[in-house]
Amino acid sequence: MPFNMLFSWIGRSIFSKITPLSFTLLLSFFPIGTLFYLMMLHLDLLTLEEAFEKSFTRAKSAIEKKERALQFVECHSDIDPFFLDKKIESLDLLEEEKKKVLTLLEHPAIADKESLQRHLLFLEKNRFHFFEENLESYKNIKEVEEKQRVSVIVDENDLAKFCSLVEMVAVGDHLPLEKAPQLLFTHFHMEKVKGFFHNEHFQLQTQLLKREWLSTEKN
Amino acid sequence: MKEILAIEIATPFLRLARVEKKGSLFSIKELHLVPLTEADLVKQLYITPFKGKISSLLSNQEVLVRTSELKMKKSRYIQQALAFQAENSTLLPSNDFFSISHLIQKKKEGTSAYLCTISKKGLHHHLQFLQEIGIDPDFVLSKDLSLTAYMRWQFPHFSDGFVIDIAMNEICCLWIEKGILKKSYTLSEGIEALFSSFWQDRKKTFLFSEIEEAAKQIDLLQLKSNLNPHLFDKLSEMRQQISQTIHFFHRDAGQLPLIFTGITDAFIHLEPFFSLGFKELISNETFIRSNHPEYQKFAAPIGSAIHQLETPIQMRRHQFFPAKNWKTSGIYAVYLFLFSLFISAFFYFEGTYLLQKREEKIFFSLRQIEKSLNPSLKEEVFKNEAPSLEKWLSFVSLSNKESPYLLQAPKVSKVLDWLSHHNLWKKAKEEKEAIEIISLDYKLEEFPKIGNLKAPYLAKVEMELFIPNATRARQLHESLLQDEEMIDHLQDFSWEPLENSYLISFYLKNEKVPYAF
């Protein structure tokens, strides 16, 4: 019978070449190999479970940080590229003093109007002027240093307004504007000086870092 | 319970013995003398319900058995040493003979073993003969080893002695020492030769078929050579050969008892007749007999069955290995292989099922997380694809740190606000000893920017203050040193009195939560 011959052939082929112990070890290779493979999968899954478990504790903080970053970038995306020109360099500084000088210039009792004229000229020139330096870009971010050409004289109100615009914080009645680039004071130098009318002013020299995001891509 | 059916070819008969072993006890179940012409009767004995094995006896003329002593105790090397000895201790050509070894006992002093050299031709003829009568034995054992096993079982106190087995075609002489076969010699003629010689003397009186019965009437001690010349000569020849063999054994063995087995009743006084030639070499005058005289004639097959039940020796090696054993082992191999595959498959499917369940649990939790996220964050994390664990874990590990673009150092406006609302500052103002800022310098000495996003935020403040009196100055100095809100005390702090003012510098402590907008 063919099956008898087949079994005889199998028995002879195996046991004439290897001992029963070796055959048993060979057979145990399959289940042991399978168990080994499953153990590897189990260990991988265990690592994954532990990592997932740990991620729960960190997820809340990660989400908060990510949301903070996304909102930040959204706030500084699609901004007015002339923000610095339109909002900061256009600021009228020492307005009260200017009004006072104009009033005095029109007053007939004032004899020496020359100094007032000179001071008015100074007040008109007293503006923020920034020039750009070290432009860098990375992905959709543009970064540039803005340096003040000359120092300006400001009063407390101007200082509050300037800080509010640059640092996007509410200072007194001054509120931050939307669609502004990120501006950081990299250097802020303030010195107390005596004003024209012997009032307290501050001489200001600043350097800014301006960043803007060019599209809605977040990073 | 195990059982063996042992078959001895004793032409024109087959001697069969069926022996059972229960625990350590042997019991003889059946003894048969079957004519070769009725060999089909043998089949009845080993078909169902018989579940044991079949053992056959190979003539001593086809096997050479020697005892070997090895001074080794570790079994790991014994088998190798015995195999080496077995192959190399004979000059017989390996094409016609093969050798096997069989461990007898392990003692403190060493190990003893049988070395058996078997004639391939003899074994082939033996198996072919049995095949012709429809018998395929599972084991083959030599006659001398079978008789030794019989002696150990039937005469437990007979540890040293001579054994003479008288069969139809041969006479075996054995020397047994401590229950182990020491030496053996086989005469190539047996009772049949005596019957032939006797018939030569009496063919005028008897038919050959009647000779056996007639022989039982012949007293060998009274035999006259003139009346039965052929028989007398044959008997004398056989006696001489047996005597020579016993003399040969005696040289090393000394005086030992003697037992006869086999067909000892073929003639009257057969045993004393044969032992006349070496009477002085044996120690017993009366011959030792079994309590079961019927066992005596079947000593060889009984011994074969007992030996195989105790410590099986397999002389059917190499090309003589039983085909049915290969078939059985092949079947077992296939079953074991399938079982192994089945077990492996079971482990695999069960294991992967359980692992998959655990994985699904994780993904269920992940989907819950995905549902709880706002759309922009969901897009950021999973990029409009199915939620995957790798993306989630990657997001958590990468996002669990603040964006470097978010300012972490205190802002200038905050510093100014802090100073203006400082307790001492307000108190000094109220008490008309106002502290005035002469100058203030704020500098971001280090901060992340494109090309160096990992730089920390490090903001330094230097200010020159006008403080009206030393007490106020000292108070302010102490207050600043103890400040926990704005000043980073791990960095440098300096307080330098000038002519009309004080120069103070310190580093700012970074915010815990950075400014977003």
Side-chain angles (χ1 to χ4, degrees):
Chain A
M1 284 209 280
F3 280 120
N4 285 345
M5 284 170 65
L6 175 66
F7 287 132
S8 290
W9 178 82
I10 291 169
R12 192 192 298 271
S13 303
I14 294 170
F15 294 108
S16 62
K17 290 185 172 65
I18 59 174
T19 62
L21 177 66
S22 303
F23 180 65
T24 310
L25 288 171
L26 196 68
L27 284 182
S28 59
F29 170 77
F30 294 111
I32 289 173
T34 309
L35 286 173
F36 180 77
Y37 171 71
L38 288 173
M39 178 58 75
M40 292 290 110
L41 290 181
H42 162 72
L43 290 174
D44 286 343
L45 189 57
L46 201 64
T47 310
L48 212 60
E49 282 171 340
E50 283 169 3
F52 189 64
E53 198 66 41
K54 276 187 193 162
S55 76
F56 268 128
T57 53
R58 291 188 213 153
K60 191 179 170 209
S61 155
I63 289 170
E64 278 172 11
K65 286 173 185 169
K66 191 66 186 180
E67 279 179 343
R68 197 158 38 234
L70 286 173
Q71 282 175 336
F72 170 79
V73 170
E74 205 176 305
C75 179
H76 296 297
S77 298
D78 302 325
I79 51 100
D80 181 356
F82 301 106
F83 179 86
L84 214 59
D85 302 80
K86 289 178 183 172
K87 306 293 179 190
I88 294 177
E89 288 183 341
S90 63
L91 275 178
D92 289 322
L93 304 173
L94 299 174
E95 260 190 279
E96 288 296 321
E97 189 154 304
K98 207 174 185 180
K99 282 179 189 166
K100 214 172 177 178
V101 167
L102 283 168
T103 308
L104 284 171
L105 275 172
E106 285 171 12
H107 199 285
I110 303 294
D112 181 16
K113 290 190 181 168
E114 203 179 316
S115 58
L116 284 169
Q117 290 279 11
R118 271 202 303 274
H119 189 57
L120 185 65
L121 207 65
F122 163 76
L123 288 174
E124 280 165 1
K125 284 182 184 172
N126 185 40
R127 285 183 182 279
F128 285 109
H129 290 285
F130 290 96
F131 69 94
E132 291 183 349
E133 224 177 56
N134 299 330
L135 176 70
E136 299 273 0
S137 64
Y138 173 67
K139 289 185 183 176
N140 61 329
I141 306 170
K142 211 168 79 171
E143 212 175 71
V144 66
E145 288 177 20
E146 299 276 2
K147 292 183 178 173
Q148 244 180 279
R149 282 186 203 279
V150 287
S151 59
V152 292
I153 307 293
V154 297
D155 58 19
E156 264 190 47
N157 187 52
D158 295 330
L159 184 63
K161 198 170 183 184
F162 179 56
C163 288
S164 170
L165 284 170
V166 169
E167 295 187 322
M168 290 188 78
V169 290
V171 181
D173 296 331
H174 305 290
L175 298 172
L177 297 175
E178 288 180 0
K179 294 296 173 189
Q182 184 191 25
L183 293 167
L184 304 177
F185 283 119
T186 54
H187 191 203
F188 178 98
H189 184 81
M190 180 179 85
E191 255 184 70
K192 200 178 242 186
V193 293
K194 278 270 187 272
F196 187 76
F197 295 108
H198 301 287
N199 42 0
E200 276 187 4
H201 290 323
F202 302 99
Q203 187 174 28
L204 210 56
Q205 180 74 41
T206 62
Q207 286 178 19
L208 306 175
L209 181 78
K210 187 176 89 172
R211 271 197 206 113
E212 51 184 301
W213 278 259
L214 298 174
S215 67
T216 53
E217 259 189 57
K218 319 286 188 279
N219 65 344
Chain B
M1 185 201 59
K2 293 192 277 187
E3 54 181 349
I4 294 252
L5 177 68
I7 301 170
E8 181 194 6
I9 301 172
T11 314
F13 297 101
L14 293 173
R15 284 187 196 279
L16 297 108
R18 185 163 73 87
V19 179
E20 263 179 24
K21 184 183 179 190
K22 259 186 193 173
S24 58
L25 293 172
F26 297 99
S27 57
I28 313 298
K29 290 296 177 188
E30 286 177 80
L31 296 171
H32 294 283
L33 186 69
V34 177
L36 276 169
T37 49
E38 293 171 37
D40 285 346
L41 289 174
V42 178
K43 273 195 193 154
Q44 307 303 318
L45 296 171
Y46 65 77
I47 58 171
T48 317
F50 178 74
K51 289 177 189 172
K53 304 275 184 196
I54 302 173
S55 174
S56 69
L57 276 83
L58 186 61
S59 167
N60 285 348
Q61 291 172 77
E62 311 298 349
V63 182
L64 178 63
V65 178
R66 289 150 292 147
T67 318
S68 172
E69 299 285 335
L70 287 172
K71 294 204 186 316
M72 287 170 91
K73 292 170 202 169
K74 286 198 176 175
S75 57
R76 195 174 142 197
Y77 302 114
I78 286 171
Q79 291 296 341
Q80 290 168 335
L82 286 174
F84 177 76
Q85 266 209 3
E87 283 171 17
N88 292 292
S89 59
T90 176
L91 296 171
L92 298 166
S94 58
N95 286 342
D96 302 332
F97 295 87
F98 67 91
S99 297
I100 64 167
S101 60
H102 177 74
L103 211 65
I104 304 167
Q105 54 185 219
K106 274 197 254 184
K107 296 171 281 192
K108 264 187 193 174
E109 307 81 46
T111 304
S112 52
Y114 288 131
L115 301 175
C116 308
T117 305
I118 302 145
S119 160
K120 288 183 185 176
K121 202 174 168 181
L123 183 57
H124 171 75
H125 285 314
H126 173 78
L127 293 172
Q128 198 178 36
F129 182 90
L130 288 174
Q131 198 184 19
E132 282 166 9
I133 55 174
I135 297 169
D136 183 19
D138 297 289
F139 299 101
V140 171
L141 186 64
S142 66
K143 194 166 178 182
D144 43 12
L145 291 176
S146 303
L147 289 168
T148 311
Y150 173 79
M151 288 294 143
R152 277 200 306 271
W153 170 70
Q154 187 59 226
F155 305 103
H157 302 295
F158 184 87
S159 60
D160 294 17
F162 304 122
V163 179
I164 299 173
D165 180 80
I166 301 172
M168 289 300 288
N169 308 108
E170 59 189 6
I171 294 176
C172 295
C173 303
L174 312 179
W175 165 27
I176 294 173
E177 188 180 74
K178 291 176 187 159
I180 295 171
L181 176 70
K182 197 76 181 161
K183 280 183 183 156
S184 72
Y185 180 75
T186 302
L187 281 69
S188 55
E189 286 181 318
I191 296 293
E192 201 176 3
L194 292 175
F195 283 169
S196 290
S197 301
F198 185 45
W199 186 69
Q200 286 291 325
D201 295 333
R202 299 292 184 92
K203 58 182 167 187
K204 289 177 182 171
T205 320
F206 298 107
L207 296 171
F208 189 75
S209 54
E210 294 165 340
I211 275 301
E212 193 178 332
E213 280 304 313
K216 284 183 181 170
Q217 312 301 320
I218 303 293
D219 184 348
L220 294 183
L221 291 176
Q222 309 295 329
L223 191 70
K224 301 281 185 257
S225 63
N226 54 326
L227 293 174
N228 297 285
H230 290 96
L231 179 61
F232 189 87
D233 288 343
K234 186 52 76 176
L235 279 166
S236 302
E237 186 191 329
M238 276 186 181
R239 183 168 65 183
Q240 193 183 13
Q241 284 179 329
I242 292 170
S243 295
Q244 281 172 347
T245 308
I246 299 298
H247 271 95
F248 174 65
F249 291 162
H250 174 263
R251 271 192 303 178
D252 296 323
Q255 200 181 47
L256 290 176
L258 170 68
I259 292 182
F260 279 92
T261 60
I263 314 166
T264 53
D265 61 351
F267 293 92
I268 300 170
H269 292 132
L270 182 66
E271 292 160 353
F273 179 82
F274 276 141
S275 54
L276 274 175
F278 50 85
K279 221 171 162 175
E280 68 285 1
L281 304 182
I282 56 175
S283 59
N284 52 319
E285 287 186 8
T286 51
F287 296 108
I288 301 164
R289 299 217 183 278
S290 164
N291 292 336
H292 302 274
E294 67 277 16
Y295 291 173
Q296 210 86 337
K297 284 191 183 163
F298 289 84
I302 291 171
S304 168
I306 287 170
H307 201 302
Q308 299 297 25
L309 284 167
E310 272 181 334
T311 51
I313 298 179
Q314 177 58 283
M315 289 187 175
R316 286 192 74 174
R317 300 275 181 106
H318 312 300
Q319 68 265 42
F320 302 107
F321 194 76
K324 60 183 172 183
N325 285 10
W326 284 133
K327 180 187 145 192
T328 309
S329 52
I331 291 171
Y332 277 126
V334 168
Y335 277 140
L336 286 172
F337 180 73
L338 291 173
F339 180 70
S340 170
L341 283 182
F342 171 75
I343 286 284
S344 305
F346 174 75
F347 283 155
Y348 177 77
F349 287 114
E350 187 66 24
T352 49
Y353 172 75
L354 291 171
L355 289 170
Q356 199 180 359
K357 276 268 170 270
R358 280 163 65 187
E359 218 173 316
E360 277 172 12
K361 223 171 153 182
I362 295 174
F363 277 106
F364 178 74
S365 305
L366 190 62
R367 278 192 288 275
Q368 298 299 108
I369 291 170
E370 190 214 6
K371 282 178 189 167
S372 67
L373 295 176
N374 68 50
S376 59
L377 194 58
K378 199 193 291 187
E379 195 195 318
E380 172 74 19
V381 175
F382 298 114
K383 312 239 185 299
N384 289 330
E385 290 168 4
S388 85
L389 201 56
E390 287 77 25
K391 286 189 184 129
W392 170 249
L393 292 173
S394 165
F395 159 74
V396 170
S397 78
L398 291 172
S399 301
N400 201 22
K401 42 192 169 186
E402 295 289 357
S403 169
Y405 302 114
L406 270 62
L407 179 65
Q408 288 186 333
K411 295 182 177 180
V412 169
S413 46
K414 183 165 182 185
V415 174
L416 294 172
D417 184 62
W418 169 66
L419 287 171
S420 63
H421 288 95
H422 198 279
N423 287 338
L424 269 173
W425 218 277
K426 284 200 303 201
K427 196 175 171 190
K429 200 171 182 181
E430 284 163 12
E431 292 174 6
K432 312 270 190 246
E433 291 177 337
I435 300 169
E436 290 176 26
I437 299 176
I438 299 171
S439 71
L440 185 138
D441 191 279
Y442 170 104
K443 192 173 181 186
L444 269 181
E445 285 192 345
E446 275 186 64
F447 59 95
K449 51 187 176 182
I450 290 173
N452 187 15
L453 290 175
K454 288 189 178 161
Y457 282 97
L458 190 63
K460 186 178 181 183
V461 170
E462 259 183 27
M463 51 189 188
E464 193 181 343
L465 299 178
F466 170 76
I467 306 173
N469 61 60
T471 311
R472 199 68 73 186
R474 196 177 63 250
Q475 284 172 354
L476 182 63
H477 187 189
E478 275 171 24
S479 169
L480 291 176
L481 284 172
Q482 285 162 20
D483 180 77
E484 296 289 331
E485 187 190 340
M486 290 295 284
I487 299 175
D488 184 1
H489 295 289
L490 296 174
Q491 305 285 350
D492 293 337
F493 178 96
S494 77
W495 176 280
E496 193 187 333
L498 300 174
E499 207 177 315
N500 292 316
S501 59
Y502 295 87
L503 189 64
I504 306 150
S505 76
F506 51 85
Y507 287 85
L508 296 173
K509 196 187 264 186
N510 287 343
E511 305 282 350
K512 280 190 183 137
V513 179
Y515 301 101
F517 45 82

